[in-house]
Amino acid sequence: VNLTVNILPVSVPVISGNSTICSNRSAAFLLSGIVPSDHILWSAGQGTALSSLTDSVLQVVFTQASSDSVSVIVTSSDGCMSDASFPVTVLDGPTPVIEGLDPVCKFDTSYYSVPEKIGHTYQWTVVGGSIVSFGIGHSIEVYWYLEGQGSVSCREISPDGCDSLAMKYVNV
């Protein structure tokens, strides 16, 4: 008995991207090693997909610090399947929220703060006023000298280098 066996080609998917990312920040993962007729189905692990799960690029955001992974299943037009997984370390990214007065009077001094996290650094910027206190910590005092809409912004940076920017508009 002669038997002919046809071995069908199968794609070898490869995922690339950053293996260490910050929570609450979008991250992109790229799929290579496939052909245009392949069907793609991503899994974002514990993250939330921001793009289609069937494209060659996956945009995802993770909201919690964790060890996680993204994975993909690739199915050829002949029905052959292959898969790949990519480990991801998700670092705790800051999520500052600025508290403070709004509205304020011209020539008033007002206090603004974000919740303090040990080891984090803070970079403050003010439009329409001046920082009159030491502006490196989690709080500042602002002297408002321009009428109209001003703003207070704070970039919080974690020890791992993850950062986030918060802004608060202030009516003067």
Side-chain angles (χ1 to χ4, degrees):
V1 171
N2 285 337
L3 181 59
T4 303
V5 175
N6 291 327
I7 299 175
L8 301 173
V10 63
S11 293
V12 180
V14 176
I15 301 171
S16 59
N18 287 329
S19 60
T20 302
I21 60 176
C22 299
S23 65
N24 302 305
R25 293 299 259 324
S26 174
F29 299 93
L30 176 65
L31 182 61
S32 60
I34 60 172
V35 297
S37 61
D38 286 342
H39 174 69
I40 299 165
L41 184 59
W42 286 97
S43 170
Q46 296 299 310
T48 301
L50 303 175
S51 61
S52 171
L53 296 175
T54 59
D55 289 339
S56 62
V57 176
L58 176 68
Q59 288 285 127
V60 63
V61 64
F62 294 88
T63 58
Q64 300 283 328
S66 65
S67 292
D68 209 325
S69 66
V70 294
S71 58
V72 68
I73 297 173
V74 175
T75 307
S76 71
S77 58
D78 297 318
C80 297
M81 296 173 67
S82 55
D83 62 359
S85 184
F86 188 82
V88 177
T89 300
V90 183
L91 303 174
D92 186 22
T95 54
V97 176
I98 298 173
E99 296 290 330
L101 290 177
D102 174 38
V104 297
C105 295
K106 185 177 178 181
F107 305 125
D108 276 357
T109 299
S110 302
Y111 176 84
Y112 297 89
S113 66
V114 295
E116 184 175 19
K117 292 185 179 174
I118 302 300
H120 288 217
T121 58
Y122 306 89
Q123 298 171 345
W124 292 91
T125 305
V126 173
V127 175
S130 296
I131 299 173
V132 293
S133 62
F134 195 59
I136 294 179
H138 79 287
S139 64
I140 59 170
E141 286 183 288
V142 177
Y143 174 74
W144 295 103
Y145 58 80
L146 282 180
E147 278 186 53
Q149 188 177 61
S151 65
V152 176
S153 62
C154 179
R155 179 173 305 281
E156 182 177 345
I157 306 164
S158 74
D160 296 320
C162 294
D163 70 332
S164 186
L165 180 69
M167 180 177 279
K168 179 180 183 79
Y169 290 103
V170 179
N171 293 302
V172 183

